[in-house]
């Protein structure tokens, strides 16, 4: 694997990891009052577009990072709609 | 410009836009009690690595998105350290 792809994968781990505390907190408390539905919808669309971009330019890092983030964001969106 | 780069730039606008409310809120209230310092440090390192990755693979979308996000995250980090 090329060095730049290793950097990309480490970047993916870092930015995805920093997203996890929100997911764990929401999973544990079911409290979604602090989450903005409109902002998460915008973010989710952005992540899906990054996913398309990653597939298009054939970047494993971008595909993996945004696939995982899309799943986590979708979970938060479902929780927000369910417990609003 | 290629279509995939347009998709990437739209993705950049969406994911960066969703980050702005936090920045405006912190700018307005100076209240950083809800921000996790360790998580923002991890996120900031991840964004810097994405920036290196973007330069490496010569992706305008990734460079722009992560340059702006790095500046915004650095601002939040400085505010967190200043007003903790």
């Amino acid at each position: 694997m090329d060095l730049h792809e290793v950097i990309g994968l480490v970047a993916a781990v870092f930015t995805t990891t920093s997203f996890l505390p929100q997911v764990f907190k929401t999973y544990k408390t079911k409290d979604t009052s602090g989450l903005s539905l409109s902002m998460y919808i915008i973010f989710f669309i952005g992540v899906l577009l990054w996913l398309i971009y990653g597939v298009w330019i054939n970047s494993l890092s971008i595909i993996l990072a945004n696939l995982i983030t899309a799943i986590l964001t979708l979970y938060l969106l479902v929780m927000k709609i369910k417990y609003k």
Side-chain angles (χ1 to χ4, degrees), chain A:
Chain A
M1 191 182 287
D2 291 335
L3 178 59
H4 73 268
E5 212 54 44
V6 175
I7 291 173
L9 288 174
V10 176
V13 169
F14 273 64
T15 50
T16 308
T17 299
S18 66
F19 200 61
L20 289 177
Q22 183 61 63
V23 176
F24 287 137
K25 194 181 176 189
T26 304
Y27 175 76
K28 210 173 168 185
T29 64
K30 315 292 183 207
D31 176 15
T32 62
S33 58
L35 305 182
S36 161
L37 181 62
S38 55
M39 286 304 109
Y40 269 91
I41 289 172
I42 292 171
F43 183 70
F44 184 62
I45 295 168
V47 170
L48 290 183
L49 290 173
W50 277 123
L51 193 56
I52 293 168
Y53 181 80
V55 171
W56 203 311
I57 70 169
N58 200 22
S59 160
L60 181 65
S61 311
I62 298 174
I63 293 169
L64 276 181
N66 289 285
L67 189 62
I68 295 167
T69 304
I71 293 166
L72 296 176
T73 308
L74 187 62
Y75 170 75
L76 290 176
L77 276 174
V78 169
M79 295 298 279
K80 178 67 184 176
I81 292 162
K82 194 175 172 187
Y83 292 101
K84 73 174 175 185

